[in-house]
């Protein structure tokens, strides 16, 4: 199965099953009137199904894809179509429950030690389930693909069974529960959830219209409801201050690099254009100027990064492993300035000292994480053991990776295209060591891609798009792509998030701001450990030089790197990962290109990074990425706008606004004409008036019958007289001017009585 | 009944009138009213018609609407098919109408062995004059009662039906017009369908209306019994109008205005029946509907037709012309058809623009 053309398994069987069912149960006549609603309700059910099956599918794609899920879903739908005819509801529910239980058992059977776990430690399973429902993503589960395949059939079967039996509400409840589970696990994004919810509402509403034989015009409430939900859900946040922002109208999600990993430490999103924040996050006192790492991510989903596994508590000194190879100790003291949900620490932390050690947790990848947010004033020390291998040793390291490392860090999502793999292979052809592979990839990215924070996020796989299509990006794109390329060459790699050293404020103290947030690459070398690479070009200099002297490196930068004492082995001659001036002044995060606006000022080095950041941001808009910031409405915004318009129209229809306006006009509009026409017009106005006052005249009701019926309810004599005149005028074919005027006058009076104020104004 | 050929109840004048006005340009329509008849003013026509209705109701208890239906048909130059179980007063109604308008009345009892000449009359050899002379049959009367018309074979039925449609009778090649006004009131019952010759749809179509009397309710029946104790009131029934005045009233009906809106409404009603039944109302039915509506308007003292008139006449005029798929033979025929007409009245907009 190709991942490029998403199959649509569910809608196809719907109409067919519909027909069969209708024939079987003698609903054929019914179908003629309401068939459209039935088809629409089943389509909505299909969309709901697709909302959670799609999530499950993307989960399996991350692990490399599986061919099992979609056939399983299709079979479940077909079985449901069969069962809807022959199986009573009770049995169907039993089948669905059995399918869910069976799916879980299947998952346990496949996962190592799963069955033993089931037998020995049921409590642990319950705890796992609770963890899952409180935010652990399915993507983070060890064998997410197996879990997804086990999870899918039950709800799909039952919801389709119920929907095909015209129990749309039941079907939607079942499908909605399945989606709800995935919402709780944070796998279903806002758009998916919203479309699932809307589809559910539509299915129930259309189903009711189907069951009760509604008409198209009666669907206005439903349309209104759907539109209101669709517009309100993304624009109004239920709980203010929740970490996950509601879908904004600019649909940016996090708008800073920092935001992509700080808000939710388990996942790092890849977003489009970003902004820069000058807010001070923390101060560091450190022996060495390093990248302050806050987390690493091992699972690439194609458009975001996920950290798998659950963090465990920090068990004090000595509990954390040290790198295997040569290492150097770096002790850092952090003082938090504004609240952060992360716990910076240089790779690779081995000890946490201070009060924060109480709340410190350690991820399976060996990074630190606070169990509760750190707030301004918190202080802690981290002792890190930095791998300290020279280039020669790295070149010699070989490929003898531990199995666990290789298993976890070389997986790519199924969406990784073969073209991507081929291009990577071409770039790295002839490299004789993983280190050289990494070096070539880094060089390639630096030389062929520009740096820009003003980009639009591509659809689909980020690495594919960045390597093959995009010309520019920022650190997230560079790092993501490099990791994907390394993995495709079999080199274990992961992305690391954190901050560049920041502004040096004398001695060994650094001030780190939001704009210092950065994403880089860590690759694994046997007997050495995780080594940092930074493929992001070093900012403005690089860009300027790239424009003038194509492909020429910056010697100055190289020397700066050397002078700064960088021992990180990302010693690519062209681009140092961070730039430290000879005079010790720090140019802020090159990855973020904050100093785009004043490339010539590198020499004085005194510009405070904060100002630089602001200036850079200003300069950025004008520096040639040309015209991008013009706020064109995005597809989503257009869709939202269209939905609002449809909703408003439906609401107006429900309230009968159009009718009211035209009624008000028609009630008063009396152009002078021939007597017969005058009388006719007057009678029409009167009828309109009476239809508001009493009731409209029935379709087959004559005016006489109407008047007789209304007279019993106290009809004004004038009205009866008008109808009398009308009847003569119309059916006897004769009326004189005087009588016609009488009719008009009578109706004018009646209208004025009915609506006093406008009547008097008009009079 | 073996000697049913003798028309037993022939009274009053049986003179033959001679005017012929074959104004039959409209398909299957009866000739227009003779031009030498001066129409009554509509109020007088209405008064005349009402007096007939009242007079008939002295005999017929509890069937006001049906009596009006028959009188309207009379005014509209139509023929009426009275269908019901035996003994509810079909014959009595016909006789009462005939007496009230002081017109000739003859009755034909249709039987399986009745011959066409028993209806039309035949040429009889006169021994004295030594030549054939025409002895007219019961069809030569202003009001002809064809009792149990569905008991006779189709050939005999058609003899009457020719007179109804053409207002003339052809015997041995000689065509003789029937007297004016000419109204056939035929009866049939549906309780013994196996022993009848059901009227074909084409012949049913020639009846302007089919009217069912139904049983009187208890009070009405009590009152009826009260009236018939002693002498039957029909014996004492006096005419309330003359034949000439009736003809002038009939002429007045033709003068009633029918505006385009009403004609259009009638046509749309007919159209509705055609699209909702296997056989809908025929164009002849639509013509009959409009003419009946004119008569109805006259009865109400109006010289113009309103949609209400059309609605009042729709069921009796259209009912027997419509064939629905689920029509059952036997009890309550036309129930479906009448339901369809009701639907048409409910669902067809009275005004085109409505």
């Amino acid at each position: 199965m190709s991942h490029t053309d998403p199959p649509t398994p569910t809608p196809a069987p719907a109409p067919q099953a519909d027909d069969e069912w209708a024939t079987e149960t003698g609903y054929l006549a019914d179908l003629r009137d309401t068939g459209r609603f039935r088809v629409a309700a089943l389509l909505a059910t299909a969309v709901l199904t697709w909302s959670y099956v799609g999530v499950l599918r993307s989960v399996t794609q991350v692990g490399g894809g599986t061919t099992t899920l979609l056939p399983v879903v299709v079979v479940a739908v077909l079985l449901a179509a069969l069962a809807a005819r022959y199986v009573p509801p009770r049995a169907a529910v039993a089948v669905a429950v059995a399918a869910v239980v069976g799916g879980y058992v299947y998952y346990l059977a496949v996962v190592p030690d799963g069955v033993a776990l089931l037998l020995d430690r049921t409590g642990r399973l319950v705890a796992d389930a609770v963890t899952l429902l409180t935010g652990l993503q399915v993507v983070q589960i060890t064998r997410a693909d197996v879990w997804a395949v086990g999870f899918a059939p039950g709800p799909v079967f039952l919801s389709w069974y119920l929907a095909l039996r015209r129990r749309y509400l039941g079907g939607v409840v079942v499908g909605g529960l399945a989606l709800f589970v995935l919402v709780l696990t944070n796998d279903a994004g806002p758009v998916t959830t919203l479309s699932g919810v809307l589809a559910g509402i539509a299915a129930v509403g259309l189903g009711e219209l189907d069951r009760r034989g509604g008409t198209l015009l009666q669907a206005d409430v439903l349309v209104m409801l759907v539109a209101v939900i669709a517009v309100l859900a993304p624009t109004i946040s239920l709980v203010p201050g929740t970490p996950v922002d509601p879908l904004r109208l600019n649909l940016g999600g996090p708008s800073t690099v920092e935001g992509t990993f700080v808000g939710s430490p388990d996942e790092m999103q890849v977003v489009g254009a970003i902004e820069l924040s000058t807010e001070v996050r923390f101060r560091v006192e450190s022996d060495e100027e390093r990248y302050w790492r806050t987390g690493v991510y091992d699972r690439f989903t194609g458009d975001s990064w996920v950290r798998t596994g659950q963090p465990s508590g920090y068990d004090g000194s000595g509990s954390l492993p040290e790198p295997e190879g040569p290492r150097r100790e770096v002790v850092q003291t952090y003082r938090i300035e504004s609240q952060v949900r992360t716990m910076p620490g240089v790779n690779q932390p081995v000890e946490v000292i201070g009060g924060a050690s109480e709340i410190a947790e350690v991820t399976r990848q060996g990074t630190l994480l606070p169990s509760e947010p750190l707030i301004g004033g918190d202080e802690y020390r981290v002792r890190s053991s930095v791998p300290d291998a020279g280039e020669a040793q790295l070149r010699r390291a070989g490929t003898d990776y531990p199995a666990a490392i290789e298993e976890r860090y070389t997986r790519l999502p199924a969406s990784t295209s073969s073209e991507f793999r081929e291009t990577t292979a071409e770039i790295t052809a002839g490299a004789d060591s993983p280190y050289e592979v990494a070096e070539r990839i880094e060089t390639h990215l630096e030389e062929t891609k520009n740096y820009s924070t003003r980009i639009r996020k591509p659809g689909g796989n980020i690495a594919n798009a960045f390597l093959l299509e995009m010309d520019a990006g920022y650190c997230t794109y560079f790092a993501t792509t490099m990791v994907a390329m390394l993995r495709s060459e079999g080199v274990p790699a992961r992305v690391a998030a954190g901050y560049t050293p920041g502004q040096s404020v004398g001695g060994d103290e650094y001030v780190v701001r939001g704009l210092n947030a950065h994403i880089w690459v860590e690759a694994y070398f046997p007997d050495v450990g995780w080594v940092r690479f930074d493929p992001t070009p070093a900012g403005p200099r690089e860009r300027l030089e790239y424009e003038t002297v194509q492909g020429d490196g910056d010697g100055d930068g190289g020397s700066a790197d050397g002078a700064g004492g960088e021992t990180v082995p990302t010693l690519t001659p062209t681009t140092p990962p961070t730039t430290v001036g000879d005079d010790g002044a720090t140019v802020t995060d090159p990855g973020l290109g904050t100093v785009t606006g004043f490339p010539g000022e590198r020499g004085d080095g005194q510009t405070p990074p904060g100002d630089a950041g602001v200036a850079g941001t200003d300069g950025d808009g004008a520096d040639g990425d040309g015209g991008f910031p013009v706020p064109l409405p995005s597809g989503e915004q257009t869709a939202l706008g269209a939905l609002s318009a449809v909703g408003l129209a439906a609401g107006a229809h429900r309230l009968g606004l159009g009718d009211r306006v035209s009624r008000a006009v028609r009630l008063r509009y009396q152009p002078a004409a021939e007597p017969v026409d005058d009388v006719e017009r007057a009678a029409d106005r009167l009828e309109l008036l009476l239809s508001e006052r009493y009731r409209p005249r029935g379709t087959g009701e004559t005016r006489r019958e109407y008047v007789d019926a209304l007279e019993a309810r106290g009809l004004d004599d004038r009205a009866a007289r008008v109808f009398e005149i009308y009847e003569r005028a119309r059916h006897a074919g004769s009326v004189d001017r005087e009588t016609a005027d009488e009719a008009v006058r009578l109706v004018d009076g009646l209208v004025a009585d009915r609506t006093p104020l406008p009547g008097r104004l008009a009079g | 009944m073996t000697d049913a050929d003798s028309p037993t109840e022939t009274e009053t004048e049986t003179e033959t009138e001679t005017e012929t006005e074959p104004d039959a340009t409209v398909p299957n329509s009866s000739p227009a009213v003779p031009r030498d008849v001066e129409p009554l003013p509509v109020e007088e026509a209405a008064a005349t018609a009402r007096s007939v209705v009242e007079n008939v109701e002295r005999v017929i208890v509890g069937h006001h609407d049906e009596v009006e239906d028959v009188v309207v048909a009379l005014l509209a130059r139509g023929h009426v098919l009275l269908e019901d179980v035996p003994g509810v007063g079909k014959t009595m109604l016909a006789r009462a109408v005939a007496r009230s308008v002081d017109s000739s009345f003859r009755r034909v009892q249709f039987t399986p062995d009745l011959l066409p000449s028993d209806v039309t009359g035949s040429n009889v050899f006169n021994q004295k004059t030594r030549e054939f002379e025409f002895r007219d049959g019961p069809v030569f009367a202003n009001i002809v009662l064809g009792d149990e018309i569905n008991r006779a074979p189709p050939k005999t039925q058609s003899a009457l039906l020719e007179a109804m449609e053409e207002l003339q009778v052809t015997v041995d090649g000689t065509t003789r017009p029937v007297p004016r006004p000419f109204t056939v009131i035929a009866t049939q019952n549906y309780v013994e369908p196996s022993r009848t010759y059901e009227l074909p749809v084409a012949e049913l179509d020639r009846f302007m209306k089919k009217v069912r009397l139904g049983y009187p309710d208890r009070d009405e029946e009590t009152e009826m019994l009260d009236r018939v104790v002693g002498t039957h009131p029909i014996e004492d029934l006096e005419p309330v109008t003359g034949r000439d005045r009736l003809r002038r009233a009939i002429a007045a009906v033709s003068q009633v205005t029918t505006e385009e809106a009403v004609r259009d409404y009638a046509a749309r009603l007919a159209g509705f029946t055609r699209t909702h039944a296997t056989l809908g109302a025929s164009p002849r039915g639509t013509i009959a509907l409009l003419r009946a509506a004119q008569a109805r308007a006259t009865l109400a003292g109006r010289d113009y037709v309103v949609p209400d008139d059309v609605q009042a006449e729709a069921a009796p005029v259209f009912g027997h012309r419509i064939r629905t798929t689920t029509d059952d033979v036997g009890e309550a025929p036309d129930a479906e058809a009448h339901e369809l007409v009701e639907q048409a009245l409910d669902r067809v907009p009275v005004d085109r623009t409505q």
Side-chain angles (χ1 to χ4, degrees):
Chain A
M1 183 187 63
S2 162
H3 52 264
T4 47
D5 49 351
T8 50
T10 37
Q16 187 192 354
D18 176 68
D19 272 345
E20 284 170 12
W21 172 247
T23 316
E24 280 299 310
T25 52
Y27 276 133
L28 196 58
D30 196 23
L31 183 74
R32 280 191 204 115
D33 293 332
T34 58
R36 267 182 295 172
F37 285 121
R38 176 136 173 79
V39 171
L42 289 176
L43 276 177
T45 308
V47 173
L48 173 61
T49 307
W50 184 247
S51 72
Y52 59 85
V53 170
V55 171
L56 292 175
R57 181 166 170 273
S58 66
V59 163
T60 63
Q61 297 281 312
V62 171
T66 172
T67 50
T68 338
L69 179 65
L70 292 178
V72 161
V73 168
V74 171
V75 167
V77 171
L78 292 179
L79 281 180
L82 270 180
R85 264 203 261 170
Y86 302 114
V87 180
R90 218 168 271 232
V93 171
V95 167
V97 170
V100 170
V101 173
Y104 196 56
V105 169
Y106 165 65
Y107 165 68
L108 290 178
V110 171
V111 169
D113 302 332
V115 179
L117 204 63
L118 179 65
L119 297 178
D120 298 345
R121 300 169 69 184
T122 317
R124 176 70 196 277
L125 284 182
V126 173
D128 273 0
V130 170
T131 321
L132 196 60
L133 293 184
T134 50
L136 174 69
Q137 291 198 358
V138 175
V139 185
Q140 292 175 270
I141 293 180
T142 321
R143 291 295 303 273
D145 50 341
V146 177
W147 189 91
V149 171
F151 177 81
V156 169
F157 170 81
L158 192 56
S159 65
W160 275 94
Y161 170 85
L162 291 171
L164 288 172
R165 288 193 82 127
R166 290 178 184 249
R167 297 184 172 188
Y168 301 101
L169 183 60
V172 167
V173 165
V174 173
L177 273 178
L179 180 60
F180 186 55
V181 167
L182 295 175
V183 169
L184 286 183
T185 64
N186 259 336
D187 285 283
V191 174
T192 309
T193 311
L194 187 59
S195 48
V197 168
L198 291 181
I201 291 169
V204 172
L206 291 168
E208 279 304 293
L209 287 171
D210 168 34
R211 283 160 51 127
R212 296 172 198 278
T215 67
L216 202 58
L217 285 178
Q218 286 168 346
D220 58 356
V221 178
L222 185 61
V223 171
M224 202 163 69
L225 195 62
V226 167
V228 165
I229 293 170
V231 173
L232 287 193
T235 48
I236 295 181
S237 168
L238 185 65
V239 186
T242 43
V244 179
D245 282 343
L247 182 69
R248 294 189 204 147
L249 274 180
N250 69 13
L251 289 178
S255 59
T256 60
V257 170
E258 191 181 23
T260 61
F261 61 85
V262 168
S264 157
D266 291 340
E267 181 178 8
M268 188 188 79
Q269 301 159 45
V270 180
V271 297
I274 50 165
E275 297 153 5
L276 303 166
S277 157
T278 55
E279 195 179 353
V280 174
R281 295 289 177 231
F282 54 85
R283 292 164 187 275
V284 198
E285 218 179 299
S286 172
D287 315 344
E288 277 181 30
E289 181 181 299
R290 305 290 306 185
Y291 278 15
W292 324 118
R293 191 180 70 176
T294 60
V296 296
Y297 301 92
D298 53 341
R299 182 167 283 179
F300 182 40
T301 68
D303 70 348
S304 70
W305 282 92
V306 176
R307 180 172 51 71
T308 65
Q310 283 293 92
S312 51
Y314 169 66
D315 294 336
S317 175
S319 65
L320 297 177
E322 304 228 356
E324 295 137 25
R327 51 190 180 262
R328 199 174 66 250
E329 193 161 280
V330 175
V331 177
Q332 316 115 57
T333 306
Y334 295 91
R335 200 167 82 244
I336 307 298
E337 293 286 341
S338 56
Q339 178 174 323
V340 288
R341 288 167 175 273
T342 53
M343 199 165 187
V346 169
N347 180 32
Q348 145 175 358
V350 291
E351 191 181 358
V352 183
I353 305 152
S357 63
E358 299 289 318
I359 58 166
E361 289 186 328
V362 182
T363 65
R364 302 225 168 143
Q365 292 77 18
T367 60
L368 297 174
L369 198 66
S371 56
E372 54 194 68
L374 296 172
I375 53 171
D378 276 352
E379 216 174 296
Y380 64 95
R381 292 175 76 191
V382 174
R383 185 169 62 83
S384 298
S385 194
V386 180
D388 189 12
E391 188 178 330
Q393 187 183 353
L394 290 174
R395 286 193 187 281
R396 281 196 313 272
T399 57
D400 188 15
Y401 305 115
I405 296 277
E406 193 163 8
E407 152 75 17
R408 177 173 293 209
Y409 294 107
T410 55
R411 281 191 178 229
L412 281 172
S415 55
T416 307
S417 70
S418 54
E419 203 183 344
F420 177 88
R421 293 177 190 273
E422 285 161 15
T423 309
T424 306
E426 278 171 31
I427 291 165
T428 59
D432 54 7
S433 72
Y435 181 81
E436 199 176 335
V437 167
E439 214 174 18
R440 288 201 192 184
I441 291 171
E442 198 181 59
T443 311
H444 175 82
L445 291 177
E446 282 163 352
E447 288 181 351
T448 60
K449 306 293 177 190
N450 285 327
Y451 184 87
S452 170
T453 60
R454 299 272 142 209
I455 55 157
R456 205 180 270 267
K457 184 189 172 183
N461 188 304
I462 300 293
N464 281 351
F466 189 68
L467 179 64
L468 303 172
E469 292 155 23
M470 296 169 71
D471 296 326
Y474 50 89
C475 54
T476 313
Y477 288 83
F478 282 95
T480 298
T481 307
M482 177 161 174
V483 170
M485 291 171 83
L486 283 172
R487 287 187 177 189
S488 92
E489 288 300 303
V491 180
R494 59 191 189 186
V495 297
Y499 297 86
T500 53
Q503 181 187 13
S504 174
V505 290
D508 48 7
E509 194 175 348
Y510 302 89
V511 174
V512 181
R513 297 162 197 272
L515 53 82
N516 295 123
H518 191 41
I519 309 288
W520 62 93
V521 177
E522 287 182 357
Y524 187 82
F525 291 89
D527 301 325
V528 175
W530 291 100
V531 170
R532 187 181 83 193
F533 289 83
D534 191 346
T536 312
R541 280 189 335 276
E542 173 69 12
R543 185 182 304 180
L544 270 186
E545 285 160 10
Y546 188 82
E547 283 165 5
T548 49
V549 190
Q550 184 91 9
D552 193 3
D554 179 4
D556 194 26
S559 70
D561 186 58
E566 269 293 345
T567 52
V568 189
T570 52
L571 301 176
T572 51
T574 50
T575 52
T578 194
T579 313
V580 182
D582 291 342
D583 53 3
T586 304
V587 176
T588 53
D589 178 22
L592 288 173
T594 53
V595 285
T596 319
F598 42 96
E601 288 176 1
R602 188 210 175 293
D604 77 37
Q606 299 303 318
T607 313
D611 293 347
V614 173
T617 313
D618 291 340
D620 224 20
D623 80 347
D625 280 326
F628 185 84
V630 173
L632 285 173
S634 67
E636 288 88 345
Q637 280 169 287
T638 313
L640 270 183
L643 255 178
S644 319
V646 170
L648 285 176
H653 175 254
R654 168 83 342 197
L655 294 173
L657 278 187
D659 280 0
R660 281 176 188 218
V661 171
S662 81
R663 266 163 179 271
V665 171
R666 281 190 292 155
L667 207 51
R668 292 172 181 82
Y669 179 64
Q670 174 85 50
E674 290 297 301
V676 177
D677 298 330
D678 277 354
V679 172
E680 207 155 305
R681 178 78 214 128
D684 283 352
R685 287 164 61 207
L686 175 60
E687 216 175 286
L688 197 63
L689 186 71
L690 295 181
S691 71
E692 279 171 2
R693 173 80 176 79
Y694 302 98
R695 62 169 174 82
R697 183 155 64 94
T699 308
E701 196 177 20
T702 65
R703 287 187 173 76
R704 280 180 169 239
E705 289 168 335
Y706 188 51
V707 169
D708 287 350
L710 294 192
E711 265 171 349
R713 294 168 62 182
L715 182 68
D716 198 308
D717 287 343
R718 288 177 288 174
R721 170 71 185 143
V722 172
F723 277 129
E724 199 185 314
I725 295 173
Y726 168 80
E727 193 181 84
R728 286 206 72 85
R730 169 125 187 182
H731 295 302
S734 66
V735 66
D736 52 34
R737 185 75 255 172
E738 207 174 303
T739 321
D741 289 344
E742 182 192 349
V744 173
R745 210 168 43 243
L746 287 173
V747 175
D748 282 346
L750 284 164
V751 170
D753 287 355
R754 180 82 190 113
T755 51
L757 186 61
R760 272 175 215 141
L761 287 178
Chain B
M1 194 141 112
T2 47
D3 63 342
D5 54 334
S6 59
T8 50
E9 294 183 34
T10 64
E11 53 249 83
T12 60
E13 323 92 307
T14 55
E15 92 230 50
T16 308
E17 291 175 39
T18 48
E19 325 107 307
T20 51
E21 49 290 326
D23 184 8
T25 50
V26 182
N28 297 326
S29 71
S30 302
V33 169
R35 289 183 188 85
D36 60 344
V37 177
E38 177 67 26
L40 280 179
V42 71
E43 294 81 12
E44 284 184 41
T48 303
R50 276 191 217 112
S51 68
V52 172
V53 171
E54 279 161 21
N55 204 47
V56 171
E57 283 192 301
R58 292 170 62 192
V59 179
I60 306 295
V61 182
H63 290 300
H64 177 79
D65 291 347
E66 292 79 2
V67 171
E68 277 198 345
D69 273 334
V70 173
V71 171
V72 162
L74 187 65
L75 287 177
R77 288 168 286 136
H79 311 287
V80 182
L81 181 62
L82 288 176
E83 181 182 75
D84 220 314
V85 291
V88 292
K90 298 187 291 287
T91 309
M92 194 59 64
L93 173 58
R95 284 181 61 192
V97 171
R99 282 211 171 203
S100 299
V101 297
D102 191 21
S103 302
S104 60
F105 172 78
R106 281 174 151 192
R107 179 173 184 272
V108 190
Q109 179 66 46
F110 282 76
T111 59
D113 54 0
L114 192 72
L115 297 172
S117 59
D118 296 331
V119 175
T120 59
S122 52
N123 288 311
V124 175
F125 186 71
N126 188 328
Q127 297 287 351
K128 287 179 190 163
T129 58
R130 311 287 301 171
E131 44 184 40
F132 285 93
E133 60 183 37
F134 182 70
R135 182 177 292 172
D136 57 10
V139 76
F140 289 92
N142 295 114
I143 293 178
V144 178
L145 173 61
D147 231 353
E148 299 203 78
I149 190 170
N150 55 342
R151 297 257 180 252
K155 192 173 181 184
T156 310
Q157 289 174 359
S158 68
L160 182 62
L161 294 166
E162 187 206 351
M164 285 164 60
E165 191 62 30
E166 316 288 339
L167 295 181
Q168 62 190 18
V169 171
T170 304
V171 176
D172 292 342
T174 313
T175 298
R176 294 177 174 81
V178 295
R180 303 300 172 80
F182 180 71
T183 289
V184 172
I185 301 177
T187 73
Q188 65 174 4
N189 73 63
Y190 52 84
V191 287
E192 296 159 312
S194 60
R195 297 168 59 187
T196 58
Y197 298 92
E198 199 189 343
L199 285 176
V201 176
E203 298 185 351
L204 275 180
D205 205 25
R206 301 187 190 180
F207 288 97
M208 173 178 269
K209 296 181 171 190
K210 181 156 99 174
V211 177
R212 300 182 61 194
L213 289 179
Y215 292 111
D217 64 26
R218 204 182 58 196
D219 290 344
E220 290 165 353
E221 191 154 5
T222 311
E223 193 191 339
M224 182 196 78
L225 290 174
D226 181 47
R227 287 193 198 177
V228 298
V229 170
T231 58
H232 196 285
I234 189 76
E235 309 302 335
D236 304 329
L237 203 62
E238 295 295 327
V240 290
T241 182
R243 199 181 45 170
D244 291 337
R245 194 173 171 80
L246 177 62
R247 291 190 67 196
R248 291 181 65 195
I250 290 172
V253 169
S254 299
Q255 307 286 317
V256 170
T257 311
T258 315
E259 279 291 314
E260 196 274 340
V262 171
R263 297 198 296 268
D264 181 60
Y265 179 50
R268 279 183 288 123
L269 283 177
F272 183 92
T273 65
R274 286 169 205 156
T275 50
H276 290 78
T278 41
L279 179 69
S282 60
R284 175 156 50 190
T286 319
I287 293 167
L289 176 61
L290 263 193
R291 193 177 292 153
Q294 282 179 309
R296 177 68 66 175
T298 309
L299 187 63
R302 252 183 291 111
D303 60 356
Y304 55 91
V305 177
V306 294
D308 304 75
D309 300 324
V310 176
Q311 290 198 344
E313 295 299 328
V317 173
F318 277 173
H320 61 294
R321 300 171 202 263
I322 295 172
R323 283 284 168 276
T324 55
T325 42
T326 51
D327 246 0
D328 287 328
V329 182
E331 209 192 343
D334 299 344
E336 297 264 343
H338 279 267
E339 202 168 290
L340 180 65
V341 174
E342 285 306 315
Q343 272 186 30
L345 294 181
D346 274 350
R347 286 163 59 181
V348 175
V350 176
D351 303 319
R352 187 191 275 283
T353 53
Q354 192 179 358

